[in-house]
Amino acid sequence: MLYIKNGRIKTMAGIEYPNGQILIEEGKIRAVGENVEKPEGAREIDAGGHLVTPGMIDAHCHVGLFGSALRWEGDDGNEEMDPITPHLRGIDSVNPQDECFENARKGGVTTIATGPGSGNVIGGTFAALKTYGKRVDDMVMVEPLAMKIAFGENPKSSYGLNGKSPYSRMAVAALLREALFKARRYAEDLDEYEKSGGGDQKRPPFDMKMEALLPVIRKQIPLKAHVHRADDICTAIRVAKEFGLKLTLDHCTDGHLITEVLAVEGCPVLVGPTFGDKTKPEVRNKTFDTVKILSDAGLQVAIITDAPVIPIERLPLCAGYAISAGLEEQKAWECITINPARILGVDSRVGSIEPGKDADIVIHSGNPLMDIASHPLYTIIDGKIIYQA
């Protein structure tokens, strides 16, 4: 058992405790409040009045797939030989020994959604992982979590510049539609076969790509759309609606330009990477104002790093810049804790400090959203002290 006392606890569950305690047992939060007694034999951490929060969550990154301090040898995030690769699984490229995982823990990031890059129209599946473990199998929370798709400049440049399709945005959408049409037909044929009990109905020939798209067609996982430009955002929505599919809008750089459209559609938006240079034409409207504008419109918003584009440990810095653009501090905390947990569908386990949830907790030296010198004193994952300053 682990007992934390004298903490300024921000639970992200609608209540804060200026001087509270947390009891952790068997990796779960057993109690939180201002009158939680310490059981005999429990290990004690005195938070000393410091801020205590849930572990932070990055809902879109590529940690473990693009090796830190490596060249092409560690670049395992894009299989740029075929624009349609739904059968690829991001976990098969994740290297838990990559230093980005250690940096995440040192930065207080305890859960990530990581997966393929945006070189392909359909890139493969993302997974939700804890940031601590010796092998990826022991870190997985949800897999498959989502199917990565990409619009705009990235798939165009991967193939069009090499004389292959897609060369245009029309081709990107067409290739995606073709795959989804095939997957829908494959699912229908498979359903008919299973309903017939294997009688006269012939089982459809096995197709690895179509098998991988079944959870998408059956609405078990969403499409995770790489979209920056406003027209690409709208195309992603259009295609998803044509097939009645779940969708998240990742990056959503131009989201503030079409707020009314997004408010009507209601898709979750994952904003970032906003910090840094405007590296290509489709991010020329990049601004930290986007988070506030979309949040004020009632959308479910998460802030993301797209790590290694922005170092994963700088997730709170990104939230801090959103505050400097007018976002309320509480909403900024929501964007890196409970909101991404809800968007990823893991809010029953992480994103807030509540009894029954995983004991993923960070004790900070200061407020990392307001003070750049702040750093975690303790990072706790599944009730274990994983990092101590």
Side-chain angles (χ1 to χ4, degrees):
M1 286 187 289
L2 187 62
Y3 180 77
I4 301 171
K5 69 176 185 179
N6 297 329
R8 183 160 51 89
I9 302 172
K10 180 180 283 294
T11 67
M12 302 310 301
I15 189 169
E16 297 187 12
Y17 298 104
N19 186 17
Q21 308 89 37
I22 303 172
L23 178 62
I24 298 167
E25 185 178 10
E26 296 181 348
K28 300 289 185 180
I29 298 166
R30 294 303 178 200
V32 56
E34 293 188 329
N35 296 294
V36 179
E37 294 185 2
K38 176 187 175 184
E40 184 176 352
R43 178 177 177 178
E44 180 178 287
I45 296 177
D46 187 345
H50 290 292
L51 178 65
V52 181
T53 72
M56 291 176 280
I57 301 170
D58 192 331
H60 180 116
C61 69
H62 309 284
V63 167
L65 287 90
F66 293 93
S68 178
L70 294 174
R71 302 172 301 173
W72 66 269
E73 294 91 339
D75 184 351
D76 290 310
N78 286 302
E79 183 66 21
E80 296 181 6
M81 297 294 179
D82 178 354
I84 305 297
T85 56
H87 57 305
L88 301 183
R89 301 171 68 191
I91 59 167
D92 293 330
S93 278
V94 171
N95 175 16
Q97 280 69 51
D98 186 83
E99 67 174 352
C100 289
F101 282 103
E102 181 180 1
N103 293 339
R105 300 189 293 267
K106 288 182 177 179
V109 179
T110 57
T111 299
I112 59 172
T114 190
S118 49
N120 289 347
V121 176
I122 304 181
T125 53
F126 264 61
L129 309 179
K130 295 294 181 79
T131 56
Y132 176 74
K134 297 295 184 182
R135 62 177 187 173
V136 69
D137 309 72
D138 300 327
M139 302 159 71
V140 171
M141 296 178 68
V142 182
E143 200 285 326
L145 175 76
M147 181 65 70
K148 177 67 179 294
I149 61 174
F151 296 81
E153 294 172 18
N154 284 24
K156 276 165 48 72
S157 63
S158 294
Y159 293 93
L161 295 180
N162 295 312
K164 300 177 182 178
S165 184
Y167 183 85
S168 68
R169 281 176 162 82
M170 290 184 293
V172 170
L175 286 167
L176 175 59
R177 278 194 184 93
E178 180 183 29
L180 293 175
F181 272 120
K182 289 180 178 178
R184 186 166 65 184
R185 176 64 60 84
Y186 186 83
E188 291 170 350
D189 291 347
L190 193 59
D191 289 343
E192 285 298 317
Y193 171 78
E194 291 173 351
K195 286 178 183 177
S196 72
D200 296 333
Q201 186 77 19
K202 185 178 180 181
R203 184 183 180 91
F206 177 80
D207 188 318
M208 184 69 170
K209 292 184 179 182
M210 297 302 103
E211 288 285 332
L213 283 170
L214 285 177
V216 176
I217 295 297
R218 291 171 174 169
K219 304 177 182 60
Q220 296 165 342
I221 64 172
L223 294 169
K224 192 173 182 64
H226 165 106
V227 281
H228 286 285
R229 224 167 70 175
D231 57 334
D232 289 329
I233 295 170
C234 293
T235 299
I237 294 171
R238 184 185 317 117
V239 173
K241 289 176 72 173
E242 286 174 17
F243 292 87
L245 305 178
K246 295 181 178 180
L247 176 72
T248 66
L249 300 170
D250 296 44
H251 309 308
C252 207
T253 303
D254 280 3
H256 60 286
L257 303 180
I258 52 170
T259 307
E260 298 83 357
V261 172
L262 297 181
V264 170
E265 299 299 340
C267 299
V269 292
L270 291 71
V271 181
T274 312
F275 186 77
D277 192 22
K278 298 178 180 180
T279 54
K280 53 185 178 178
E282 65 184 7
V283 300
R284 65 181 181 274
N285 296 314
K286 182 167 68 171
T287 171
F288 279 103
D289 296 336
T290 306
V291 174
K292 172 177 167 53
I293 292 170
L294 298 183
S295 181
D296 288 349
L299 288 160
Q300 195 169 55
V301 184
I303 294 172
I304 61 174
T305 64
D306 202 24
V309 177
I310 297 173
I312 186 78
E313 66 271 23
R314 298 306 175 196
L315 180 60
L317 178 64
C318 296
Y321 271 106
I323 293 172
S324 71
L327 185 68
E328 295 176 11
E329 182 187 343
Q330 178 64 20
K331 287 189 174 183
W333 275 109
E334 291 171 2
C335 287
I336 57 174
T337 55
I338 192 62
N339 282 5
R342 289 170 177 157
I343 291 169
L344 300 178
V346 294
D347 53 305
S348 64
R349 292 184 57 183
V350 296
S352 61
I353 300 175
E354 298 181 81
K357 288 196 173 185
D358 295 359
D360 293 0
I361 294 168
V362 182
I363 303 175
H364 306 266
S365 67
N367 185 337
L369 275 58
M370 308 297 285
D371 178 7
I372 194 172
S374 173
H375 60 276
L377 300 173
Y378 292 87
T379 298
I380 298 166
I381 299 177
D382 291 328
K384 298 177 182 178
I385 299 173
I386 302 303
Y387 170 74
Q388 181 176 351

Coordinates of all heavy atoms in Angstrom, one line a residue, residues 291-347:
V291 N -7.2 26.0 -29.4 CA -7.7 25.2 -28.3 C -8.8 26.0 -27.6 O -9.9 25.4 -27.4 CB -6.6 24.9 -27.3 CG1 -7.2 24.2 -26.1 CG2 -5.6 24.0 -28.0
K292 N -8.6 27.2 -27.3 CA -9.7 28.0 -26.6 C -10.9 28.2 -27.5 O -12.0 28.0 -27.0 CB -9.1 29.4 -26.2 CG -10.2 30.4 -25.7 CD -9.7 31.7 -25.3 CE -10.8 32.7 -25.0 NZ -11.8 32.2 -24.1
I293 N -10.7 28.5 -28.8 CA -11.8 28.7 -29.6 C -12.7 27.5 -29.7 O -13.9 27.5 -29.6 CB -11.4 29.2 -31.0 CG1 -10.7 30.6 -30.9 CG2 -12.5 29.2 -32.0 CD1 -10.0 31.0 -32.2
L294 N -12.1 26.3 -29.9 CA -12.8 25.1 -30.1 C -13.4 24.6 -28.7 O -14.5 24.1 -28.7 CB -11.9 24.0 -30.6 CG -11.4 24.2 -32.1 CD1 -10.6 23.0 -32.5 CD2 -12.5 24.5 -33.0
S295 N -12.7 24.9 -27.6 CA -13.2 24.5 -26.3 C -14.4 25.4 -26.0 O -15.4 24.9 -25.5 CB -12.1 24.7 -25.3 OG -12.6 24.4 -24.0
D296 N -14.3 26.7 -26.3 CA -15.5 27.6 -26.0 C -16.7 27.2 -26.9 O -17.8 27.5 -26.5 CB -15.1 29.0 -26.3 CG -14.1 29.6 -25.3 OD1 -13.9 28.9 -24.2 OD2 -13.6 30.7 -25.5
A297 N -16.5 26.5 -28.0 CA -17.6 26.1 -28.9 C -18.2 24.8 -28.4 O -19.2 24.3 -29.0 CB -17.1 25.9 -30.3
G298 N -17.7 24.3 -27.2 CA -18.3 23.1 -26.6 C -17.8 21.8 -27.1 O -18.3 20.7 -26.8
L299 N -16.7 21.8 -27.9 CA -16.1 20.6 -28.4 C -15.2 19.9 -27.3 O -14.7 20.6 -26.5 CB -15.3 20.9 -29.6 CG -16.1 21.2 -30.9 CD1 -15.3 21.9 -31.9 CD2 -16.7 20.0 -31.5
Q300 N -15.1 18.6 -27.5 CA -14.2 17.9 -26.6 C -12.8 18.0 -27.2 O -12.5 17.5 -28.3 CB -14.6 16.4 -26.5 CG -14.0 15.6 -25.4 CD -14.6 14.3 -25.2 OE1 -14.8 13.5 -26.1 NE2 -15.1 14.0 -24.0
V301 N -11.9 18.6 -26.4 CA -10.6 19.0 -27.0 C -9.5 18.4 -26.1 O -9.5 18.4 -24.9 CB -10.4 20.5 -27.0 CG1 -9.0 20.9 -27.7 CG2 -11.5 21.2 -27.7
A302 N -8.5 17.8 -26.8 CA -7.2 17.4 -26.2 C -6.1 18.2 -26.8 O -6.1 18.5 -28.0 CB -7.0 15.9 -26.3
I303 N -5.0 18.4 -26.0 CA -3.8 19.0 -26.5 C -2.8 17.8 -26.7 O -2.6 17.0 -25.8 CB -3.3 20.0 -25.5 CG1 -4.2 21.2 -25.5 CG2 -1.9 20.5 -25.9 CD1 -3.9 22.2 -24.4
I304 N -2.1 17.8 -27.8 CA -1.2 16.7 -28.1 C 0.2 17.3 -28.5 O 0.3 18.5 -29.0 CB -1.7 15.9 -29.3 CG1 -1.9 16.7 -30.6 CG2 -3.0 15.2 -28.9 CD1 -2.3 15.8 -31.8
T305 N 1.2 16.5 -28.4 CA 2.6 16.9 -28.8 C 3.0 16.4 -30.2 O 3.9 16.9 -30.8 CB 3.6 16.4 -27.8 OG1 3.7 15.0 -27.8 CG2 3.3 16.9 -26.4
D306 N 2.3 15.3 -30.6 CA 2.8 14.6 -31.8 C 4.2 14.1 -31.7 O 5.0 14.0 -32.7 CB 2.6 15.5 -33.1 CG 2.6 14.7 -34.4 OD1 2.2 13.6 -34.4 OD2 2.9 15.3 -35.4
A307 N 4.7 13.9 -30.5 CA 6.0 13.5 -30.2 C 6.5 12.4 -31.1 O 5.7 11.5 -31.4 CB 6.2 13.0 -28.7
P308 N 7.7 12.5 -31.7 CA 8.8 13.3 -31.2 C 8.8 14.7 -31.9 O 9.8 15.4 -31.8 CB 10.0 12.5 -31.7 CG 9.6 11.8 -32.9 CD 8.1 11.4 -32.7
V309 N 7.7 15.2 -32.6 CA 7.7 16.5 -33.1 C 8.0 17.5 -32.0 O 8.8 18.4 -32.1 CB 6.4 16.8 -33.9 CG1 6.4 18.2 -34.4 CG2 6.2 15.8 -35.0
I310 N 7.2 17.4 -31.0 CA 7.5 18.2 -29.7 C 7.8 17.1 -28.7 O 7.2 16.1 -28.6 CB 6.2 19.0 -29.2 CG1 5.9 20.1 -30.2 CG2 6.5 19.6 -27.9 CD1 4.6 20.8 -29.9
P311 N 8.9 17.3 -27.9 CA 9.2 16.3 -26.9 C 8.1 16.0 -26.0 O 7.4 16.9 -25.5 CB 10.4 16.9 -26.1 CG 11.0 17.9 -27.1 CD 9.9 18.4 -27.9
I312 N 7.8 14.7 -25.7 CA 6.6 14.3 -25.0 C 6.5 14.9 -23.6 O 5.5 15.2 -23.1 CB 6.6 12.7 -24.9 CG1 5.4 12.2 -24.2 CG2 7.8 12.2 -24.1 CD1 4.2 12.2 -25.1
E313 N 7.7 15.2 -23.0 CA 7.7 15.7 -21.7 C 7.3 17.2 -21.6 O 7.1 17.8 -20.6 CB 9.1 15.6 -21.0 CG 10.2 16.4 -21.7 CD 10.9 15.6 -22.8 OE1 10.3 14.7 -23.4 OE2 12.1 16.0 -23.1
R314 N 7.1 17.8 -22.8 CA 6.7 19.2 -22.9 C 5.2 19.4 -23.1 O 4.7 20.4 -23.4 CB 7.5 19.9 -24.0 CG 9.0 20.0 -23.8 CD 9.4 20.5 -22.5 NE 10.8 20.4 -22.2 CZ 11.4 20.6 -21.0 NH1 10.6 20.8 -20.0 NH2 12.7 20.5 -20.9
L315 N 4.5 18.3 -22.9 CA 3.0 18.4 -23.0 C 2.4 19.5 -22.1 O 1.6 20.3 -22.5 CB 2.4 17.0 -22.7 CG 0.8 16.9 -22.7 CD1 0.3 17.3 -24.1 CD2 0.4 15.6 -22.3
P316 N 2.8 19.6 -20.8 CA 2.3 20.7 -20.0 C 2.7 22.1 -20.5 O 1.9 23.0 -20.3 CB 2.9 20.4 -18.6 CG 4.0 19.5 -18.8 CD 3.7 18.7 -20.0
L317 N 3.9 22.2 -21.1 CA 4.2 23.5 -21.7 C 3.3 23.9 -22.8 O 2.9 25.1 -22.9 CB 5.7 23.4 -22.3 CG 6.2 24.7 -22.9 CD1 6.3 25.8 -21.9 CD2 7.6 24.4 -23.6
C318 N 2.8 22.9 -23.6 CA 1.9 23.2 -24.7 C 0.5 23.7 -24.1 O -0.1 24.6 -24.6 CB 1.6 22.0 -25.5 SG 3.1 21.4 -26.4
A319 N 0.1 23.0 -23.0 CA -1.1 23.5 -22.3 C -0.9 24.9 -21.7 O -1.8 25.7 -21.7 CB -1.4 22.5 -21.2
G320 N 0.3 25.2 -21.2 CA 0.6 26.5 -20.7 C 0.5 27.6 -21.7 O 0.0 28.7 -21.5
Y321 N 1.0 27.3 -23.0 CA 0.9 28.2 -24.1 C -0.6 28.5 -24.4 O -1.0 29.6 -24.8 CB 1.7 27.8 -25.3 CG 3.1 28.3 -25.2 CD1 4.2 27.4 -24.9 CD2 3.4 29.6 -25.5 CE1 5.5 27.8 -24.9 CE2 4.7 30.1 -25.5 CZ 5.7 29.2 -25.2 OH 7.0 29.6 -25.2
A322 N -1.4 27.4 -24.3 CA -2.9 27.6 -24.6 C -3.5 28.6 -23.5 O -4.3 29.4 -23.8 CB -3.6 26.3 -24.6
I323 N -3.0 28.5 -22.3 CA -3.4 29.4 -21.3 C -3.0 30.8 -21.6 O -3.8 31.8 -21.5 CB -2.9 29.0 -19.9 CG1 -3.5 27.7 -19.4 CG2 -3.1 30.1 -18.8 CD1 -2.8 27.1 -18.2
S324 N -1.8 31.0 -22.1 CA -1.3 32.3 -22.5 C -2.2 32.9 -23.6 O -2.2 34.1 -23.8 CB 0.1 32.3 -22.9 OG 0.3 31.6 -24.2
A325 N -2.9 32.0 -24.4 CA -3.7 32.5 -25.5 C -5.2 32.7 -25.0 O -6.1 32.9 -25.8 CB -3.7 31.5 -26.6
G326 N -5.4 32.5 -23.7 CA -6.7 32.8 -23.1 C -7.5 31.7 -22.6 O -8.6 31.8 -22.1
L327 N -7.0 30.4 -22.8 CA -7.7 29.3 -22.2 C -7.7 29.3 -20.7 O -6.6 29.5 -20.1 CB -7.1 28.0 -22.8 CG -7.8 26.7 -22.4 CD1 -9.1 26.6 -23.1 CD2 -6.9 25.5 -22.8
E328 N -8.8 28.9 -20.1 CA -8.8 28.8 -18.6 C -7.9 27.7 -18.1 O -7.8 26.7 -18.8 CB -10.3 28.6 -18.1 CG -11.2 29.7 -18.4 CD -12.6 29.3 -18.0 OE1 -12.8 28.3 -17.3 OE2 -13.6 30.0 -18.4
E329 N -7.3 27.9 -17.0 CA -6.3 26.9 -16.5 C -7.0 25.6 -16.3 O -6.4 24.5 -16.6 CB -5.7 27.4 -15.2 CG -4.6 26.4 -14.7 CD -4.1 26.8 -13.3 OE1 -4.2 27.9 -12.9 OE2 -3.5 25.8 -12.7
Q330 N -8.2 25.6 -15.7 CA -8.9 24.3 -15.5 C -9.1 23.6 -16.8 O -8.9 22.3 -16.8 CB -10.2 24.6 -14.7 CG -11.0 23.3 -14.5 CD -10.4 22.3 -13.5 OE1 -9.4 22.7 -12.8 NE2 -10.8 21.1 -13.6
K331 N -9.5 24.3 -17.8 CA -9.8 23.6 -19.1 C -8.5 23.1 -19.7 O -8.4 22.1 -20.4 CB -10.5 24.6 -20.1 CG -11.9 24.8 -19.7 CD -12.6 25.6 -20.8 CE -14.1 25.7 -20.5 NZ -14.9 26.4 -21.6
A332 N -7.4 23.8 -19.5 CA -6.1 23.4 -19.9 C -5.7 22.0 -19.3 O -5.2 21.1 -20.0 CB -5.0 24.4 -19.7
W333 N -5.9 21.9 -18.0 CA -5.7 20.7 -17.3 C -6.6 19.6 -17.9 O -6.1 18.4 -18.1 CB -5.9 20.8 -15.8 CG -4.8 21.3 -15.0 CD1 -4.6 22.5 -14.4 CD2 -3.5 20.6 -14.8 NE1 -3.4 22.6 -13.9 CE2 -2.7 21.5 -14.0 CE3 -3.1 19.3 -15.1 CZ2 -1.4 21.1 -13.6 CZ3 -1.8 19.0 -14.7 CH2 -1.0 19.8 -14.0
E334 N -7.8 19.9 -18.2 CA -8.7 18.9 -18.8 C -8.2 18.4 -20.1 O -8.4 17.2 -20.4 CB -10.1 19.5 -18.9 CG -10.9 19.8 -17.6 CD -12.1 20.6 -17.8 OE1 -12.5 20.9 -19.0 OE2 -12.8 20.9 -16.8
C335 N -7.6 19.3 -20.9 CA -7.1 18.9 -22.2 C -5.9 18.0 -22.2 O -5.6 17.4 -23.2 CB -6.7 20.2 -23.0 SG -8.1 21.2 -23.5
I336 N -5.3 17.8 -21.0 CA -4.2 16.8 -20.9 C -4.4 15.7 -19.9 O -3.5 15.0 -19.5 CB -2.8 17.6 -20.7 CG1 -2.9 18.4 -19.4 CG2 -2.5 18.4 -21.9 CD1 -1.5 19.0 -19.0
T337 N -5.6 15.6 -19.4 CA -6.0 14.6 -18.4 C -7.3 13.9 -18.8 O -7.3 12.9 -19.6 CB -6.0 15.1 -17.0 OG1 -7.0 16.2 -16.9 CG2 -4.7 15.6 -16.5
I338 N -8.4 14.4 -18.3 CA -9.7 13.7 -18.5 C -10.2 13.7 -19.9 O -10.8 12.8 -20.4 CB -10.7 14.2 -17.4 CG1 -11.9 13.3 -17.4 CG2 -11.1 15.7 -17.8 CD1 -11.7 11.9 -16.9
N339 N -10.0 14.9 -20.6 CA -10.5 14.9 -22.0 C -9.8 13.8 -22.9 O -10.5 13.1 -23.6 CB -10.3 16.3 -22.6 CG -11.3 17.3 -22.1 OD1 -12.1 17.0 -21.3 ND2 -11.3 18.5 -22.6
P340 N -8.5 13.8 -22.9 CA -7.9 12.7 -23.8 C -8.3 11.3 -23.3 O -8.5 10.4 -24.1 CB -6.4 12.9 -23.7 CG -6.2 13.8 -22.5 CD -7.5 14.7 -22.4
A341 N -8.5 11.1 -22.0 CA -8.9 9.8 -21.5 C -10.3 9.5 -22.0 O -10.5 8.3 -22.5 CB -9.0 9.8 -19.9
R342 N -11.2 10.4 -22.1 CA -12.5 10.2 -22.6 C -12.5 9.9 -24.1 O -13.1 9.1 -24.7 CB -13.5 11.4 -22.3 CG -13.8 11.5 -20.8 CD -14.5 12.8 -20.5 NE -14.9 12.8 -19.1 CZ -15.2 14.0 -18.4 NH1 -15.0 15.1 -19.1 NH2 -15.6 13.9 -17.2
I343 N -11.7 10.7 -24.8 CA -11.6 10.6 -26.3 C -11.0 9.2 -26.6 O -11.5 8.6 -27.6 CB -10.7 11.7 -26.9 CG1 -11.4 13.1 -26.8 CG2 -10.3 11.4 -28.3 CD1 -10.5 14.2 -27.1
L344 N -10.1 8.7 -25.9 CA -9.5 7.4 -26.1 C -10.3 6.3 -25.6 O -10.0 5.1 -25.8 CB -8.0 7.4 -25.5 CG -7.0 8.4 -26.0 CD1 -5.7 8.2 -25.3 CD2 -6.8 8.3 -27.5
G345 N -11.3 6.6 -24.8 CA -12.2 5.6 -24.2 C -11.5 4.8 -23.1 O -11.9 3.7 -22.8
V346 N -10.6 5.5 -22.3 CA -9.9 4.8 -21.2 C -10.2 5.6 -19.9 O -9.5 5.4 -18.9 CB -8.4 4.7 -21.4 CG1 -8.1 3.8 -22.6 CG2 -7.8 6.1 -21.7
D347 N -11.3 6.4 -19.9 CA -11.6 7.3 -18.7 C -12.1 6.5 -17.5 O -12.1 7.0 -16.4 CB -12.6 8.4 -19.1 CG -13.8 7.8 -19.7 OD1 -13.7 7.1 -20.8 OD2 -14.9 8.1 -19.2

